[in-house]
Amino acid sequence: MSLTKVKEIHTMSFIFKKKVISPSELIQTYPLPEKDALIKKERDEKIQDVLTGASDKFLVIIGPCSADHEDAVCDYITRLAKVQEKVKDKIIIIPRIYTNKPRTTGEGYKGIVHQPDPEKEPDLHEGLIAMRKMHLRAIAETGLTAADEMLYPENWPYVEDILSYVAVGARSVEDQQHRLTISGMDCPAGMKNPTSGDFSVMLNSVVAAQGQHTFLYRSYEVSTSGNPLAHTILRGAVNKHGNSIPNYHYEDLARLFEMYNERDLANPATIIDANHNNSNKVYSEQPRIISEVLHSRSVNKDIANMVKGVMIESYIEPGNQKVSQHIYGKSITDPCLGWEESEKLIYFIADHL
């Protein structure tokens, strides 16, 4: 059936609008330059050493809630790169370039992959191009390779050569396709606790991601060898009344350590997400939360060995705005810590490791 005929069948649930660019076409059109590939290889090795325990450096995964405008995002990462140079002996900064934005109700801005221009209609073909171009520009201008959220498992081939870290969100972590896709990645992957907060569900996702699987992926039967760098992310939870339940406290970390010990998993590690339900979505609480996490690490060696880093939502301007307000470097999704506070926080982390 041709695409034209499909469009004429108005009773169908799916309307096939147009075919988007393939991963091979996109990579061929916008390749990763050899010099930047070498930078990524070096950074990947350093990040892997942290997660395996070969290095005692600390990961700081930091950046906007969603990467909405290329110029502002790259400006922000350029600032991060200057700070990275000053803290390189203790910290590895991984900028968040989150090009897919999960929406609880399915409404609102879904990220640059959906809308390269947040004020225009969705265009996923152009969005895939914009996603890759932003990541490539960030590496070229700053030497920092980034993290992105694996909201859509089928998007991985578009960015597999440029990402240094992948996060699986609270609403995706229970999905089998996400877990199995992560098992085929040669990239560190953080599996967040589900919105219910269940540590067992989160750890089961790590078990699956570290395992070997055979499944359908992008029209192929594929097999995977498992991802030993899959680990957990604590982001807080929501109870049945809709109230936030933090899980970054000392007791939570001790419990997670015990549960890791009950399972035969490679490289037990966790990252603490200082925003979302850990902060009750009050972005200004992130420095206080991180301070407590650093204290917990300082008084318990097991926790120090397990907690490999923190995740921070941060941008140039503090807070957030409506899409129509056009304030440069201010989030159009969840509110973020501003640059001045973020820079101070990174130095604080370095001083307390």
Side-chain angles (χ1 to χ4, degrees):
M1 182 179 291
S2 70
L3 293 184
T4 303
K5 290 183 179 179
V6 170
K7 288 181 182 179
E8 293 173 354
I9 303 174
H10 300 292
T11 58
M12 291 184 67
S13 297
F14 288 88
I15 300 175
F16 292 80
K17 300 175 69 172
K18 61 182 177 182
K19 191 170 184 178
V20 300
I21 191 169
S22 71
S24 59
E25 290 172 324
L26 184 61
I27 291 172
Q28 186 175 7
T29 306
Y30 300 99
L32 178 66
E34 185 175 350
K35 65 179 180 62
D36 293 339
L38 292 173
I39 290 171
K40 180 180 181 298
K41 183 175 184 294
E42 182 180 350
R43 275 178 55 82
D44 287 352
E45 290 172 353
K46 291 179 179 179
I47 294 167
Q48 177 173 326
D49 284 347
V50 174
L51 292 169
T52 61
S55 167
D56 61 0
K57 290 184 180 180
F58 197 68
L59 303 179
V60 174
I61 304 165
I62 182 170
C65 172
S66 60
D68 45 21
H69 293 287
E70 183 179 301
D71 288 344
V73 169
C74 289
D75 177 356
Y76 172 86
I77 298 173
T78 298
R79 301 180 190 204
L80 279 183
K82 295 175 182 177
V83 176
Q84 171 68 96
E85 185 61 28
K86 296 178 182 178
V87 298
K88 63 183 180 181
D89 292 338
K90 294 185 176 182
I91 288 173
I92 298 175
I93 294 175
I94 306 175
R96 286 169 51 112
I97 302 182
Y98 278 30
T99 55
N100 302 279
K101 172 64 181 171
R103 309 302 306 200
T104 305
T105 63
E107 299 176 344
Y109 177 64
K110 297 183 180 70
I112 197 169
V113 170
H114 275 260
Q115 291 171 272
D117 184 331
E119 295 185 273
K120 293 183 179 178
E121 291 296 310
D123 188 332
L124 276 85
H125 174 83
E126 292 300 322
L128 290 166
I129 294 171
M131 169 182 68
R132 187 166 175 88
K133 287 176 68 176
M134 184 187 294
H135 277 287
L136 289 174
R137 178 179 170 185
I139 299 170
E141 294 183 358
T142 70
L144 298 183
T145 49
D148 203 342
E149 180 165 356
M150 192 50 55
L151 184 58
Y152 305 109
E154 61 270 25
N155 283 1
W156 170 244
Y158 290 101
V159 289
E160 62 180 333
D161 61 327
I162 52 179
L163 289 185
S164 283
Y165 189 91
V166 165
V168 177
R171 296 164 191 82
S172 301
V173 76
E174 297 184 68
D175 174 60
Q176 180 157 300
Q177 186 76 0
H178 282 81
R179 294 176 172 191
L180 301 191
T181 303
I182 294 294
S183 75
M185 295 181 182
D186 57 354
C187 175
M191 317 296 280
K192 290 194 174 186
N193 63 261
T195 53
S196 68
D198 192 322
F199 280 15
S200 294
V201 169
M202 173 179 64
L203 286 164
N204 285 342
S205 75
V206 177
V207 172
Q210 290 195 3
Q212 301 177 5
H213 303 283
T214 300
F215 59 102
L216 288 174
Y217 185 70
R218 295 185 63 91
S219 302
Y220 283 87
E221 177 183 320
V222 301
S223 62
T224 60
S225 57
N227 185 345
L229 299 178
H231 57 277
T232 60
I233 300 176
L234 298 181
R235 50 86 73 197
V238 182
N239 67 16
K240 65 181 181 180
H241 303 294
N243 300 321
S244 291
I245 307 171
N247 58 16
Y248 61 85
H249 296 308
Y250 181 93
E251 294 79 7
D252 298 301
L253 302 179
R255 175 170 167 259
L256 179 58
F257 178 79
E258 291 177 0
M259 294 181 72
Y260 254 125
N261 279 343
E262 294 168 359
R263 291 162 172 81
D264 184 23
L265 287 166
N267 308 311
T270 196
I271 304 291
I272 310 303
D273 180 346
N275 211 15
H276 297 99
N277 290 115
N278 268 333
S279 69
N280 196 25
K281 299 187 178 180
V282 180
Y283 71 91
S284 58
E285 290 287 285
Q286 293 180 99
R288 178 191 62 77
I289 291 166
I290 290 171
S291 177
E292 181 178 326
V293 171
L294 294 175
H295 175 72
S296 296
R297 291 179 88 249
S298 73
V299 298
N300 187 310
K301 185 177 180 181
D302 291 333
I303 289 176
N305 289 334
M306 180 183 68
V307 177
K308 302 294 188 181
V310 292
M311 188 173 283
I312 304 162
E313 290 199 313
S314 156
Y315 210 177
I316 296 171
E317 297 295 334
N320 62 347
Q321 64 177 326
K322 295 179 180 179
V323 173
S324 59
Q325 288 182 276
H326 302 143
I327 299 172
Y328 180 81
K330 192 169 187 175
S331 175
I332 61 172
T333 49
D334 292 349
C336 296
L337 206 63
W339 173 251
E340 184 177 338
E341 297 82 3
S342 301
E343 184 178 17
K344 289 178 182 177
L345 179 54
I346 296 171
Y347 293 136
F348 176 85
I349 294 171
D351 289 340
H352 289 81
L353 291 173

